[in-house]
Amino acid sequence: MNQTQSGPGKPDILLVDDTPANLQLLAGMLKGRGYKTRPVPSGRLAIQAALCEPPDLILLDIYMPEMNGFEVCQSLKADEKLKDIPVIFISALNEVLDKVKAFAVGGVDYITKPFQFDEVQARVDTHLKLRRLQAELEQHNRQLGKLVQTQVKKISDTQMALIFALAKLAESRDDDSGMHLERVQAFCKKLAEGLAKRSRFGRQVDAKFVENIFYASPLHDIGKVAIPDRIILKPGKLTPEEFEVMKTHVARGAEKLEAVQRQFPGNALLDMGIAIARFHHEK
């Protein structure tokens, strides 16, 4: 027998019919072909059995007392744990409207009684195979998603390292404090996290905002690379004229980052860096 189940071992099929003879017939035939069968005589018991141990596939009668097959299928499809289990209706009802309703409530196939067992097996095999392929595809997509996340993180980490290295280069021309950029990062993150807890800023200051301000804050003095050495490296107090030149580093830094932004529009990290570079001396 072909291995068509979605999990290890024999395919597990839940049989639901209020007629014992029908259950016995189907269970015997399917067991003879290597399936694991669980026959239940009512819709409510079927739902309980499925919740206890989700099957690979369900063969479901329609005309049953208390809870008919349509209602059972709707209940199954409404449950997150059970909604993906394929349901094949097997019923003496052969009107087109009955079949349309069966598909509308979530059934994947419809077999009319009296049935030929070869037909039942063919349809069971087909839907078990589809179920297995769907599970394999979902697993593949999850693995692909994780791989993409890993690659994106690597790229992001590289970008952050380059940004920090560039900021460090600017700092090296005027570094008389040590670990200045690291402290700025830590303080910005703490302040942003504090703002996020206040309802006034909750929508604007989200987790992404906190991340962006942490990584963009080292760019605040990037404009100092444009300040002449005679001013940036001057050991004594600056003259008023020299101080005016020093103050231009905020605009120059923002302009340099805006040039990069034109190449990469819509980058939230760059937007944050431009704002920080331009306004970090404002009161």
Side-chain angles (χ1 to χ4, degrees):
M1 189 194 78
N2 293 331
Q3 293 298 313
T4 55
Q5 67 272 27
S6 59
K10 296 180 180 180
D12 181 11
I13 302 176
L14 187 64
L15 309 175
V16 190
D17 197 314
D18 66 320
T19 304
N22 291 340
L23 283 178
Q24 186 176 3
L25 177 64
L26 268 176
M29 290 178 171
L30 290 168
K31 280 183 180 179
R33 301 297 175 92
Y35 298 102
K36 173 186 174 183
T37 61
R38 286 188 285 155
V40 291
S42 74
R44 295 197 183 280
L45 289 175
I47 294 172
Q48 292 175 12
L51 285 170
C52 180
E53 184 181 348
D56 295 305
L57 183 141
I58 298 173
L59 285 176
L60 179 61
D61 188 26
I62 293 177
Y63 190 68
M64 296 182 293
E66 187 181 4
M67 191 176 192
N68 65 43
F70 297 134
E71 294 169 332
V72 173
C73 190
Q74 285 178 315
S75 181
L76 292 168
K77 297 303 173 182
D79 190 294
E80 189 65 27
K81 183 180 177 182
L82 307 176
K83 64 183 180 66
D84 293 327
I85 299 172
V87 176
I88 299 177
F89 284 95
I90 184 164
S91 174
L93 299 176
N94 59 5
E95 295 294 329
V96 173
L97 289 178
D98 295 320
K99 296 179 181 180
V100 170
K101 186 174 181 179
F103 288 110
V105 297
V108 297
D109 212 336
Y110 194 102
I111 300 171
T112 303
K113 298 176 183 178
F115 55 80
Q116 295 292 324
F117 183 69
D118 287 342
E119 177 190 4
V120 174
Q121 184 181 9
R123 298 197 186 194
V124 165
D125 284 347
T126 295
H127 290 291
L128 284 172
K129 184 176 181 179
L130 288 173
R131 168 85 163 138
R132 176 176 58 80
L133 291 174
Q134 181 185 26
E136 290 176 354
L137 179 61
E138 290 173 354
Q139 183 180 7
H140 176 74
N141 287 339
R142 285 193 296 270
Q143 292 172 341
L144 184 61
K146 291 179 180 179
L147 179 62
V148 169
Q149 288 178 349
T150 300
Q151 294 303 315
V152 168
K153 187 178 186 305
K154 286 182 179 179
I155 294 171
S156 178
D157 289 347
T158 301
Q159 291 175 332
M160 296 307 105
L162 289 172
I163 288 173
F164 197 77
L166 185 62
K168 274 290 188 183
L169 179 63
E171 183 190 46
S172 67
R173 303 190 67 224
D174 182 32
D175 185 15
D176 57 1
S177 56
M179 300 296 289
H180 172 65
L181 295 184
E182 290 83 355
R183 289 199 304 275
V184 168
Q185 277 190 313
F187 287 136
C188 284
K189 183 178 181 181
K190 285 291 185 183
L191 289 168
E193 288 174 340
L195 288 175
K197 296 176 182 177
R198 300 190 178 189
S199 58
R200 179 181 171 188
F201 304 101
R203 291 187 177 181
Q204 181 182 0
V205 185
D206 56 12
K208 192 62 180 177
F209 183 100
V210 174
E211 179 182 301
N212 283 338
I213 200 170
F214 177 80
Y215 285 116
S217 59
L219 295 171
H220 66 281
D221 274 342
I222 196 71
K224 285 186 176 180
V225 297
I227 303 301
D229 287 349
R230 62 181 176 81
I231 295 176
I232 196 77
L233 300 179
K234 184 177 180 179
K237 184 178 180 180
L238 300 179
T239 67
E241 294 77 14
E242 291 170 337
F243 188 55
E244 288 302 313
V245 175
M246 177 65 81
K247 288 194 292 186
T248 65
H249 81 275
V250 295
R252 293 189 178 189
E255 289 165 3
K256 296 298 182 184
L257 294 175
E258 284 169 344
V260 178
Q261 186 190 47
R262 286 192 286 273
Q263 299 293 323
F264 304 96
N267 187 300
L269 185 64
L270 276 175
D271 293 342
M272 181 76 77
I274 291 168
I276 289 173
R278 189 181 299 278
F279 301 117
H280 71 280
H281 280 294
E282 297 297 326
K283 295 184 181 179

